[in-house]
Amino acid sequence: MAIREVFMPALSSTMTEGKIVSWTKSPGDRVEKGDTVLVVESDKADMDVESFAEGFLAIIMSEAGSSVPVGQTIALIAETEAEIAEAKQRGAASTPTPAVAAAAPVAIAATAPVAPPAPASTGRLIASPRAKKLAKEMGVNLEQLQGTGPNGRVVAADVASAAGKPLPANMISPSAPQPITAVATVAAAQPTAAPPAGVPMAKLVPFNTLQQAVNRNMIASLAVPTFRTGYTITTDKLDVLYRQLKPKGVTMSALLAKAVAMTLQKYPVLNSSYTDAGMQYHGAINVSVAVAMPDGGLITPVLANADQMDIYSLSRAWKDLVDRARAKQLQPVEYSSGTFTISNLGMFGVDKFDAILPPGTGAILAIGAARPTVVAMADGAIAVRQQMQVNMTADHRIIYGADAAAFLQDLAKLIETDVNSLTM
């Protein structure tokens, strides 16, 4: 017989607190191993949290909508019905405190570790309760779906995607917008000076969980010694290629990510990051692209192995990432494993800007808008060319000016003279 404490889990390596979006179990409900107990908003995603203990949910100590530090007790699970009353008394009499090393085993576990292992074949379907419910409503056969959740778990978004329908509003957290169905290009943070509709100008609006995470990252970034390098790239051939491929679903974001990834193959130092022990060279080229979130903040979905994917697969992967990012359905590894970052404000008409280096990476490329520009040609003639300004912010502890200059020079050469190689 035992009463187990339920602690707020750490859903990512950077998470310090989580917001309880909703409880899927009520006090007195029977809890089985693997049951979803609650939904937690971590730094940048909403995650189902499962129980790995059997018993009865005796008391909820932190209600939906509350933000709780990682490790704090949020509920108690009684092993038997006879212990429910005792657990309620214990919970009512105690003030939630952070867990310590000697505490009883945590009664719940996040369904998404930072780096989920490859799913093992267990002979049974793994699907979240919400996915099962939605599959029944939409007439989708779960057995035919490939889950995108941790360990191959089928989530509600997988069911909605298979049915060709948007995720129902009641399956998206109140703070998360309806998933979008199409994305042409992306940008970094949108202007947030104006308060949300209906909010009085004099009212203090607390930062949401995502904004708090961004704030912490920006403060950490200011401690890094960085330098900036700019370059002008002629985009006439890139623009022609984009117009040809756009009807086939290819996005400008995918083309830019592919061009950066192919250039990074020649400059592994630009794909490295600083550690106290030395330079960390990464085994894969994972390009992050900044995406603005409608309710504030930004997230950087990762195009893993971008240099190895063809442009069509890359575009499909990017659309899927953005859709799930806006629905807060990304797994931590899908937004925290980038090795190089792109921030594109060109779609807003911004000519040039400097980007802040994200923690854990060596460089970020800020991309401005392409503009018709009068240029002097090598033979002395005058012509009009589409040109864009790019500015790189780099960690000077591992990257030097010559490295950045050579990278930008080769990136420009690829876009200006060898752009068709992006489709190979």
Side-chain angles (χ1 to χ4, degrees):
M1 299 178 66
I3 296 174
R4 292 181 179 271
E5 295 181 84
V6 176
F7 302 133
M8 172 60 71
L11 303 178
S12 71
S13 60
T14 59
M15 178 176 166
T16 58
E17 68 175 25
K19 180 179 179 182
I20 299 175
V21 176
S22 63
W23 287 91
T24 60
K25 296 287 186 180
S26 301
D29 285 354
R30 174 74 184 175
V31 176
E32 303 290 345
K33 288 183 180 180
D35 284 354
T36 296
V37 180
L38 72 158
V39 179
V40 170
E41 179 185 357
S42 66
D43 290 351
K44 299 180 180 180
D46 289 352
M47 303 244 183
D48 290 347
V49 179
E50 296 179 349
S51 171
F52 59 74
E54 296 180 357
F56 297 86
L57 183 61
I59 183 172
I60 292 174
M61 301 169 66
S62 297
E63 297 295 334
S66 58
S67 295
V68 182
V70 168
Q72 180 171 296
T73 304
I74 56 177
L76 297 177
I77 290 180
E79 187 174 350
T80 66
E81 285 188 278
E83 294 175 300
I84 292 179
E86 178 187 346
K88 286 182 177 180
Q89 291 179 352
R90 176 176 160 183
S94 64
T95 301
T97 54
V100 294
V106 179
I108 57 175
T111 62
V114 173
S121 178
T122 62
R124 69 180 182 89
L125 175 72
I126 303 176
S128 71
R130 290 192 289 179
K132 293 177 181 177
K133 180 177 182 293
L134 188 60
K136 186 175 181 180
E137 294 175 354
M138 292 185 171
V140 174
N141 185 353
L142 288 173
E143 298 288 347
Q144 298 179 351
L145 299 186
Q146 179 67 43
T148 61
N151 297 322
R153 189 168 186 255
V154 177
V155 295
D158 299 326
V159 178
S161 178
K165 299 178 182 178
L167 194 64
N170 64 353
M171 291 195 177
I172 303 176
S173 67
S175 61
Q178 188 75 7
I180 59 174
T181 57
V183 174
T185 60
V186 299
Q190 296 183 17
T192 56
V199 177
M201 290 295 291
K203 183 176 180 179
L204 175 65
V205 179
F207 293 116
N208 61 34
T209 308
L210 175 58
Q211 290 171 322
Q212 290 173 353
V214 172
N215 293 346
R216 289 194 298 271
N217 287 342
M218 296 303 98
I219 292 173
S221 294
L222 293 178
V224 177
T226 59
F227 71 97
R228 294 167 178 81
T229 310
Y231 209 95
T232 301
I233 300 177
T234 300
T235 64
D236 293 271
K237 292 185 178 180
L238 178 65
D239 295 335
V240 170
L241 179 64
Y242 173 59
R243 287 194 294 269
Q244 293 172 348
L245 299 181
K246 183 178 179 180
K248 300 178 182 179
V250 173
T251 68
M252 179 59 78
S253 293
L255 285 169
L256 292 171
K258 180 71 172 180
V260 165
M262 290 177 62
T263 309
L264 284 172
Q265 290 177 328
K266 300 168 58 178
Y267 296 94
V269 67
L270 270 296
N271 198 52
S272 68
S273 58
Y274 171 89
T275 72
D276 290 337
M279 293 174 60
Q280 177 63 61
Y281 286 92
H282 300 287
I285 295 176
N286 298 338
V287 179
S288 300
V289 186
V291 176
M293 298 293 278
D295 56 347
L298 60 88
I299 194 169
T300 52
V302 178
L303 286 165
N305 300 301
D307 59 320
Q308 303 297 323
M309 298 178 68
D310 65 80
I311 193 63
Y312 304 102
S313 298
L314 202 64
S315 294
R316 289 192 295 269
W318 179 242
K319 180 183 181 302
D320 174 66
L321 284 168
V322 174
D323 285 352
R324 290 190 292 115
R326 303 228 177 191
K328 296 189 176 180
Q329 296 294 325
L330 290 182
Q331 305 305 319
V333 72
E334 294 177 308
Y335 60 75
S336 61
S337 60
T339 58
F340 188 98
T341 306
I342 294 174
S343 181
N344 177 16
L345 285 178
M347 67 176 296
F348 291 111
V350 173
D351 293 317
K352 58 182 178 180
F353 66 104
D354 290 328
I356 298 176
L357 182 69
T361 59
I364 180 172
L365 188 67
I367 300 176
R371 300 283 193 190
T373 307
V374 177
V375 297
M377 309 302 288
D379 60 0
I382 300 297
V384 176
R385 295 287 185 266
Q386 288 287 120
Q387 292 189 330
M388 69 179 182
Q389 301 289 324
V390 298
N391 288 304
M392 178 185 291
T393 302
D395 186 338
H396 213 330
R397 295 172 297 182
I398 56 174
I399 299 170
Y400 302 112
D403 302 319
F407 170 84
L408 292 176
Q409 188 176 50
D410 276 0
L411 176 65
K413 182 179 179 181
L414 187 156
I415 291 175
E416 293 176 350
T417 65
D418 192 26
V419 72
N420 288 329
S421 63
L422 298 179
T423 64
M424 297 178 182

